[in-house]
Amino acid sequence: DIIGVSTSSNNNLLITVANTGQLEVSNFTAYVDNQKVDILNNKDFLKSGDVVVFELNWKEEFKLVSIKSDQTEAVYEKSYQIN
């Protein structure tokens, strides 16, 4: 699950991901607005219960982020508030 989204000090996109499943997940790929982007600090795997912050090579606005592994996919869609 994607549990947080923010930016780093150099304006890269930071995605906090938690493995809330029972099994280990591995082989991560990131997509922003359906474009594959580099994970600058990729991990080999996440055990059940692990949390990681992935730094993505993305500095622009976005609407949709997905982190895919061999086993599953986590998606975050930015919502906009209209006043």
Side-chain angles (χ1 to χ4, degrees):
D1 291 334
I2 294 176
I3 59 173
V5 175
S6 59
T7 54
S8 67
S9 59
N10 59 352
N11 292 322
N12 282 330
L13 191 56
L14 298 175
I15 306 297
T16 305
V17 177
N19 180 359
T20 58
Q22 298 297 313
L23 302 174
E24 183 177 283
V25 291
S26 58
N27 197 22
F28 299 100
T29 309
Y31 296 85
V32 178
D33 294 337
N34 298 314
Q35 295 179 54
K36 186 176 178 181
V37 297
D38 290 333
I39 300 174
L40 301 177
N41 62 333
N42 210 342
K43 304 288 182 196
D44 291 333
F45 62 89
L46 284 182
K47 295 179 184 175
S48 178
D50 282 356
V51 176
V52 67
V53 178
F54 286 130
E55 184 173 359
L56 307 186
N57 187 20
W58 187 270
K59 295 181 184 337
E60 302 169 31
E61 285 296 315
F62 69 94
K63 181 175 169 82
L64 187 72
V65 174
S66 65
I67 303 292
K68 296 181 181 181
S69 73
D70 283 345
Q71 299 80 7
T72 190
E73 178 180 9
V75 177
Y76 173 87
E77 187 166 1
K78 198 173 191 180
S79 59
Y80 295 92
Q81 222 173 19
I82 300 173
N83 294 330

